[in-house]
Amino acid sequence: MKRIGVDVGGTFTDLVLWDDDGTVTVHKTPSTNHDPSIGTMDGIEVLAQRAGIDVADIEMFFHGTTVATNIVLEHNGSDVGMITTDGFRDLLHIARKKRPLNYSNYQDLPWQKWQLVPRRNRRTVPERMDAAGNVLTPLDEDAVRREVALLRERGVEAIAVAFLHAYRNPTHEQRVREIIAEEYPGVFVSLSSDVASQYREYERFSTTALNAFVGPKTSRYIENLAGKAKAAQVGEDVHLMTSAGGLVTSRSASEVPVSLLTSGVVAGLLGGCFIGKASGYPSVITLDVGGTSADIGVAPDGKLRMKHLLDTRIGDYHAMVPMAEVDTIGAGGGSIASIDEGGMFRVGPRSAGAMPGPACYNRGGTEPTSTDAMVVMGWLGADSFLSGTMEVKPELATEAVKTHIADKLGADLEHAAMGIFQILAHSMTEAISLHSVRKGYDPREFSLVAEGGAGPLYAWQIAEHLGIPRVIVPGHPGITSAVGLLTTDVRYEVPTTVWTSSAEPDLELLRREMDRLADQAVAQLRADGIADEDITLERSVDCRYVGQGYELRVPAPAGEITAEWVEQTAATFHEVHGRTYSQRFDDKPVQLVNIRVTGVGAVEHIRISEIEKGDADASGAIKTTTQALFWKNDSADPEWVDTPIYDRALFKAGNTFEGPAIVQQFDSTTIVGIGQKATVDAVGHIIIERSA
């Protein structure tokens, strides 16, 4: 079976083709941001040519995209109308009491400054449910028809429907959808009971509105890409990565596009987990550095950590959808270095992107970037970019760093270039510390997986700063996110709110709702063509102590739901709470707030083949030497050092070499620092450690 993974980033589109005989073919191409499907399909054509196959031979197509994310961050979504319960018109405006600046009376609140739904388009109708889902006020259908007609006249492109307590009884919302289909056929409809079927009014309303905001544009993109893929006979359907680390079909993604908000970012974390396990180091920290940003994830024992649903934001908006815990900072190969008006030396978060790109690309960019700094330092040469197929001009990098940084600081060129690198490396180090040390994980117990085109350029230094014992550089670091797309399964998570206590559990409620969620998850997988024998179900529960305002997600046991099942779930919560907050209260009852069933449809995963074995001598892979700038520690002055450049394609398993060294390949460049050694393992990954 031949399958392809395509991850569209802000600068490059990464593609990987995997054949079940173990053959792997990779390609990178500049992203076409005005229409990402163009770059995707063109890249697939080139990739197929490289592999010597026809595009119609590709049987499965997996995709990670930033389309929905970019719509939110750029505030250019659709015109949205909302229909909600009488009295709740301004819930989206009020939000929570927490503000970006708690003590300031003068601040722009992002969700008010850039409203998902303007107030004039937030319409209310008589209807009311109680917290148990009982009807207090019947739905006024005539009022619904009037409000839909008004929104139709105003030309809204999407309608969000969010009623109070609809997570307990969705019948009113479902009836509104039927009325909208009659009165305004073709408009995109987003129901809170479909998008976020759990309690917390503001977060549920915000997520529903966000789904409507990104819905029309994202669904059009997905349908456009799926149509092009079908015309080219690429796979049976396009499967897209969700923010929770699972795959969904193009149909499901078009209906709930809010689930795609951190699509490509999570794929990088999954790819890093896959790489770590293949090298025998399952606990990993992933550092995925692209042209615009750096994505950082922590996976103890190779397992994704999920964000708390009150922390699942995209930009300035709450998105109460499952998200793997990955942090993104503005640090990448295109990060622009500058001296601000106060004389402060800054690097990022502003980026040169793909166009005009770094100065050395010769596409019109004149400001120095971190890529230009590494050209000046001798780490990147004219043949470093896509194996020399992408022309660069080192003299333009030198001019940019000298003019904008060195001359303004009164520093020499070497210190200016080194400063750009060190500032960006420090930003990444701080972000990793935030997501490991400050959350109870010791980075010295993890391996750092260097991903993206620029990750292997920074990882050696970051590992030194944090005491991480080893860096793992995948065989194709520049396309690790695309690889991650091929390592997971089709997944649907279905939640609901139950509100019961371990002291007096409502077992009948738990059984009924868990069965309902399981049936819903299985139905979705069957609709996607997943056979019953390939379907498994996973349970989890959001728990908290009485009086707490936040829950922790814990895995729930399989089997019949009994009093013992509840006790076991509560015991797991005590353990998780103790690890998370360093305190546990075993004598306190536990509230079971939300229950979740995740339906998993198994998809055959890729495997990494072992490479040809060799001896310890790696000198046969040296293609040349160069003068490159290195230092022994942070306080040392940089020195020009004779540095070997290795061709990664010539490595054999067992090869070892000492730093300083530069390793070149098509999609990335790896740096091994002074005092470090590198070993090529059985599957071709480079393992960088401190020299003995």
Side-chain angles (χ1 to χ4, degrees):
M1 177 177 287
K2 296 176 177 60
R3 61 191 66 191
I4 190 169
V6 182
D7 178 56
V8 179
T11 305
F12 285 104
T13 294
D14 304 330
L15 305 97
V16 58
L17 174 69
W18 180 81
D19 198 315
D20 56 11
D21 65 3
T23 304
V24 177
T25 309
V26 303
H27 180 51
K28 286 178 78 76
T29 185
S31 296
T32 50
N33 293 327
H34 65 287
D35 183 356
S37 67
I38 296 174
T40 296
M41 296 308 299
D42 289 348
I44 291 174
E45 289 279 356
V46 173
L47 192 66
Q49 292 173 10
R50 285 188 176 178
I53 65 170
D54 190 273
V55 293
D57 296 330
I58 299 170
E59 297 167 79
M60 299 192 78
F61 180 4
F62 303 96
H63 182 40
T65 177
T66 58
V67 169
T69 304
N70 291 341
I71 290 171
V72 177
L73 298 180
E74 295 169 8
H75 306 291
N76 62 359
S78 301
D79 291 331
V80 180
M82 173 175 270
I83 297 177
T84 188
T85 306
D86 271 347
F88 288 82
R89 181 180 188 182
D90 292 318
L91 190 64
L92 279 181
H93 183 84
I94 298 168
R96 295 290 179 185
K97 65 181 179 180
K98 185 175 178 60
R99 297 291 187 261
L101 303 173
N102 283 333
Y103 302 104
S104 174
N105 291 324
Y106 304 96
Q107 58 179 309
D108 284 327
L109 301 178
W111 57 88
Q112 295 178 2
K113 184 175 182 179
W114 295 287
Q115 299 178 66
L116 293 172
V117 188
R119 190 174 194 274
R120 64 192 297 268
N121 287 342
R122 299 197 297 266
R123 315 303 302 175
T124 66
V125 297
E127 76 83 38
R128 191 67 177 257
M129 302 273 186
D130 67 12
N134 300 309
V135 177
L136 299 179
T137 303
L139 176 67
D140 187 335
E141 296 190 7
D142 290 337
V144 173
R145 293 184 188 279
R146 287 195 300 272
E147 298 301 346
V148 172
L150 177 65
L151 294 174
R152 183 186 63 231
E153 291 172 6
R154 291 179 177 175
V156 301
E157 302 167 87
I159 298 177
V161 183
F163 288 153
L164 190 67
H165 301 308
Y167 62 91
R168 297 295 290 153
N169 184 344
T171 54
H172 283 180
E173 288 192 352
Q174 292 169 350
R175 178 55 185 149
V176 171
R177 175 165 52 195
E178 294 172 355
I179 294 173
I180 293 173
E182 297 169 6
E183 301 291 334
Y184 195 180
V187 72
F188 187 92
V189 179
S190 176
L191 303 187
S192 78
S193 51
D194 290 342
V195 176
S197 185
Q198 51 201 310
Y199 91 110
R200 296 188 188 276
E201 285 80 11
Y202 167 64
E203 288 78 13
R204 180 161 54 87
F205 280 38
S206 174
T207 307
T208 307
L210 199 58
N211 191 62
F213 187 70
V214 304
K217 287 186 177 181
T218 305
S219 59
R220 282 196 295 269
Y221 165 72
I222 294 171
E223 291 164 4
N224 180 34
L225 177 61
K228 290 181 178 179
K230 184 177 181 180
Q233 297 181 310
V234 179
E236 296 179 359
D237 188 15
V238 180
H239 285 75
L240 293 100
M241 175 68 70
T242 69
S243 57
L247 297 167
V248 295
T249 62
S250 60
R251 172 189 58 82
S252 297
S254 295
E255 293 171 355
V256 191
V258 73
S259 66
L260 306 177
L261 285 175
T262 57
S263 172
V265 173
V266 177
L269 178 55
L270 286 168
C273 294
F274 175 71
I275 297 300
K277 290 175 183 176
S279 288
Y281 304 105
S283 291
V284 297
I285 297 172
T286 57
L287 175 69
D288 188 352
V289 187
T292 303
S293 61
D295 303 319
I296 293 152
V298 178
D301 296 321
K303 298 177 181 178
L304 303 191
R305 295 183 302 152
M306 303 304 291
K307 289 184 178 181
H308 189 280
L309 286 177
L310 292 184
D311 296 327
T312 51
R313 294 170 176 264
I314 185 69
D316 301 306
Y317 306 105
H318 278 281
M320 198 166 60
V321 293
M323 287 188 186
E325 189 153 337
V326 184
D327 184 44
T328 300
I329 63 172
S335 293
I336 294 173
S338 62
I339 309 298
D340 66 18
E341 294 179 356
M344 184 69 70
F345 189 178
R346 300 184 182 277
V347 185
R350 197 162 55 92
S351 174
M355 289 295 293
C360 64
Y361 283 11
N362 195 26
R363 293 177 177 171
T366 59
E367 296 181 282
T369 66
S370 65
T371 295
D372 294 309
M374 286 184 275
V375 170
V376 171
M377 294 160 70
W379 295 2
L380 299 175
D383 58 347
S384 300
F385 297 83
L386 304 185
S387 297
T389 60
M390 181 175 175
E391 183 183 5
V392 298
K393 293 189 176 297
E395 65 274 15
L396 296 180
T398 299
E399 180 183 352
V401 174
K402 182 178 184 303
T403 302
H404 294 275
I405 304 298
D407 289 351
K408 289 185 178 181
L409 290 177
D412 58 48
L413 183 65
E414 290 81 1
H415 280 89
M418 185 185 78
I420 294 172
F421 170 82
Q422 292 282 28
I423 290 173
L424 216 55
H426 178 73
S427 297
M428 298 177 198
T429 301
E430 285 294 299
I432 291 175
S433 177
L434 179 66
H435 281 76
S436 57
V437 176
R438 301 182 195 182
K439 295 194 176 181
Y441 295 99
D442 187 344
R444 294 172 296 182
E445 298 174 356
F446 290 75
S447 299
L448 182 62
V449 180
E451 307 175 11
L457 290 161
Y458 286 94
W460 70 277
Q461 180 77 334
I462 293 168
E464 291 281 316
H465 285 164
L466 290 171
I468 298 174
R470 72 190 59 81
V471 173
I472 305 174
V473 184
H476 302 286
I479 50 86
T480 307
S481 289
V483 170
L485 294 168
L486 307 181
T487 66
T488 189
D489 299 305
V490 178
R491 301 175 70 92
Y492 291 102
E493 182 178 290
V494 190
T496 195
T497 298
V498 290
W499 285 113
T500 190
S501 169
S502 63
E504 297 180 359
D506 187 338
L507 298 178
E508 182 58 34
L509 171 66
L510 288 170
R511 294 188 190 111
R512 183 178 67 250
E513 289 301 290
M514 200 72 83
D515 288 344
R516 181 179 66 82
L517 299 183
D519 291 344
Q520 188 175 339
V522 169
Q524 287 181 301
L525 291 168
R526 286 174 176 167
D528 289 347
I530 304 295
D532 285 357
E533 59 267 25
D534 294 326
I535 295 175
T536 57
L537 299 176
E538 300 172 356
R539 296 167 168 175
S540 61
V541 183
D542 296 345
C543 300
R544 68 187 186 185
Y545 292 118
V546 175
Q548 285 186 314
Y550 301 91
E551 302 84 40
L552 290 175
R553 176 187 293 207
V554 300
E560 185 180 357
I561 296 177
T562 62
E564 290 73 22
W565 183 93
V566 174
E567 289 177 5
Q568 188 175 346
T569 301
T572 303
F573 169 73
H574 292 310
E575 180 183 344
V576 172
H577 194 280
R579 184 176 67 244
T580 304
Y581 299 115
S582 301
Q583 293 191 52
R584 53 188 292 170
F585 307 95
D586 296 77
D587 59 331
K588 301 294 184 183
V590 174
Q591 282 186 332
L592 284 66
V593 179
N594 301 312
I595 59 174
R596 306 171 185 281
V597 173
T598 302
V600 181
V603 175
E604 184 183 0
H605 298 167
I606 65 171
R607 301 177 302 277
I608 302 180
S609 302
E610 293 189 355
I611 66 171
E612 181 182 351
K613 294 182 180 179
D615 55 26
D617 184 13
S619 61
I622 297 175
K623 62 179 186 179
T624 188
T625 60
T626 189
Q627 285 282 300
L629 203 61
F630 282 94
W631 52 93
K632 292 185 178 180
N633 54 59
D634 287 345
S635 62
D637 287 331
E639 298 178 3
W640 291 101
V641 183
D642 284 330
T643 305
I645 298 178
Y646 292 85
D647 183 347
R648 184 161 189 180
L650 301 178
F651 280 149
K652 297 179 180 179
N655 285 171
T656 63
F657 54 96
E658 299 281 335
I662 299 171
V663 181
Q664 292 182 347
Q665 62 189 105
F666 173 77
D667 58 313
S668 186
T669 296
T670 300
I671 299 296
V672 181
I674 293 175
Q676 296 179 328
K677 68 174 182 179
T679 304
V680 182
D681 72 7
V683 293
H685 299 160
I686 300 174
I687 311 298
I688 302 173
E689 301 172 298
R690 290 293 302 170
S691 298

